[in-house]
Amino acid sequence: MLECTICCGSAHVLARLTFVVSNNSQYPFEHVFTSTYHDHPPAWLARVLREIPSLRCLTVGGLVQHLLARMSRTMSSYISGVPLASEEEASASSSTTTLAICESESTFDAPKGDLQQAICSRPETVDLLVSLTYIAAEAGVLDPSPTGIGLYVRSRGTSGDLVHFDTLSLAEMCIVVRDLISTLPSVTEMKAYFERAPHDSCKALEYMNPSVSAAAWRVLRWSVMSCDVPRVEELCDPLDKVQNIGSGWKQFRICARTLEDVDEARFQCATAMARIVDHNTKVYPSLYAFHGSPLDSWHSILRHGLWYRKIRHGRKYGDGVYLSKEGTIAESYTNPPWGGSQWKNSGFNLTACMTLAEVVNQPSRFVYEYKTHCPKSKSNKKSAIARNVFVVDKTEWIRCRYLFVQSQATSRSAVYTSNVYAPSAVPLETRSRTGSIRLDPLHLPTMSKIPIVLPAC
């Protein structure tokens, strides 16, 4: 039996669908029950519900994907389990909510959010995001770029006229974004500016430094808010960190947006479906693996997720996203070292980035997994890469959960450690978190052959 809940607006339950799975390959669903919490559901929901009986011939995955696509085109919807609100609240929410779920290929709208709060509460995250945007622009691979936000910049010709940013070529966009970020003050200075008068509503960044153009401040806002800063959190408490990664990595947790993120909903649906067909997945619904990429890729990865549109290191084991159970293998794919310039006012001097991703635990359906695709090979005759790598072509099966960053010390590096985390007076050995995540013993992630430990959030 498979249950799905349709919600909209501020997570108000509108209807619940119950699918009874049958053994008939022609009609995988023996019965489909629908129940709505409103006498007169919205027109878009009524259309979706009317389609349900005609979809019995779809597979479980096909049905869920159809419903997700159908609802994401019409309303801010997702599949999740959440508490029910009153009908009046749901009606008010559905009438005022705009489409918040976008496909990965869509361009970003003008980012919204409290930039001041982000700078004051998570300066290290703001610094990291701006630095990665600068690196992508310097490399000429800025994807996404700040289009659609009404940005006007001075032309680089002799006239110096204002031109619409969206009319520029990609190469010109990258140069403009790089040059605008170069004029920004450091995040430390921005934070100090706000803290001098925290309750002054006139303390807009535009008044901080008159020599910085309005376009530069707008690019700053886009660089930060297009990635949704509250999702990216630096881990300073040792109990929050992934254990056995090594002291050379600064750790960030990427929190899931289950209430708004259609990609997260797809991942959770894929995990739920895997539990139905795979015995091991019932116990261990997901596995964890590392992915490493050069620095100029991370601006895109943090906004789009892991793709495999471009070939950076070859595709020996097939087309897909390459992941590794062994962290040092993924670390080797962060090469070649970045040779371009970096944001001069950053507190980071970045050298490498790597992610720990959660993946639907069905290796038999990966493009490549050693035990599945090389069952007759002797492991001692295969390289460590062959024995530890996964190749996954279903990008909706992958979610980045942690970001690991290496950087060289700079004059600004100590700024972020003094105010973010105050060490506990209780010794670490006597403190404890409420357990750790159970990892599939068949696919334990390791760093230098030592199993890592993931804290239970």
Side-chain angles (χ1 to χ4, degrees), residues 37-179:
Y37 290 92
H38 302 277
D39 295 333
H40 302 286
W44 66 269
L45 176 59
R47 287 195 297 270
V48 170
L49 295 180
R50 282 198 300 269
E51 292 176 359
I52 297 298
S54 64
L55 299 176
R56 288 180 58 208
C57 60
L58 290 179
T59 63
V60 177
L63 177 65
V64 173
Q65 290 295 331
H66 174 86
L67 291 177
L68 280 170
R70 186 74 176 82
M71 290 185 291
S72 65
R73 285 196 303 266
T74 56
M75 194 66 185
S76 176
S77 312
Y78 59 91
I79 292 180
S80 180
V82 289
L84 175 65
S86 66
E87 182 175 353
E88 292 77 9
E89 291 176 336
S91 300
S93 175
S94 62
S95 64
T96 58
T97 303
T98 57
L99 184 61
I101 297 178
C102 303
E103 297 294 331
S104 296
E105 293 79 13
S106 301
T107 57
F108 284 98
D109 294 329
K112 301 176 178 61
D114 193 338
L115 180 61
Q116 177 178 344
Q117 181 180 1
I119 291 173
C120 293
S121 62
R122 297 191 176 176
E124 65 291 328
T125 301
V126 172
D127 195 328
L128 176 65
L129 295 176
V130 177
S131 296
L132 291 175
T133 300
Y134 181 97
I135 289 173
E138 169 73 7
V141 292
L142 191 63
D143 178 22
S145 56
T147 56
I149 63 173
L151 181 62
Y152 287 85
V153 296
R154 294 286 179 186
S155 65
R156 299 178 64 84
T158 56
S159 64
D161 295 333
L162 283 176
V163 297
H164 199 292
F165 181 85
D166 296 9
T167 64
L168 302 177
S169 66
L170 176 60
E172 292 172 327
M173 288 180 178
C174 291
I175 293 173
V176 168
V177 170
R178 181 200 63 190
D179 292 348

Side-chain angles (χ1 to χ4, degrees), residues 237-295:
D237 188 334
L239 290 177
D240 291 331
K241 293 184 177 182
V242 179
Q243 302 300 312
N244 301 328
I245 289 296
S247 59
W249 294 96
K250 192 179 285 285
Q251 298 189 24
F252 293 80
R253 179 167 51 210
I254 304 174
C255 303
R257 296 182 301 172
T258 56
L259 300 184
E260 299 177 359
D261 193 342
V262 70
D263 292 327
E264 182 67 27
R266 286 174 173 165
F267 175 82
Q268 296 299 338
C269 287
T271 303
M273 289 184 288
R275 288 173 181 251
I276 298 175
V277 299
D278 190 284
H279 175 72
N280 186 55
T281 310
K282 291 181 180 179
V283 183
Y284 305 103
S286 59
L287 57 85
Y288 288 80
F290 297 91
H291 174 85
S293 281
L295 282 176

Side-chain angles (χ1 to χ4, degrees), residues 3 5 30 32 40 46 62 105 113 116 183 210 238 263 290 307-308 310 318 340 354 384 390 445:
E3 288 190 354
T5 302
E30 183 177 354
V32 181
H40 302 286
E105 293 79 13
Q116 177 178 344
T183 66
D263 292 327
F290 297 91
W307 287 351
Y308 56 97
K310 296 180 180 180
M354 181 171 63
F390 297 128

Side-chain angles (χ1 to χ4, degrees), residues 341-356:
S341 64
Q342 299 199 31
W343 181 31
K344 63 182 180 181
N345 288 325
S346 173
F348 297 102
N349 184 12
L350 298 173
T351 57
C353 286
M354 181 171 63
T355 188
L356 181 65

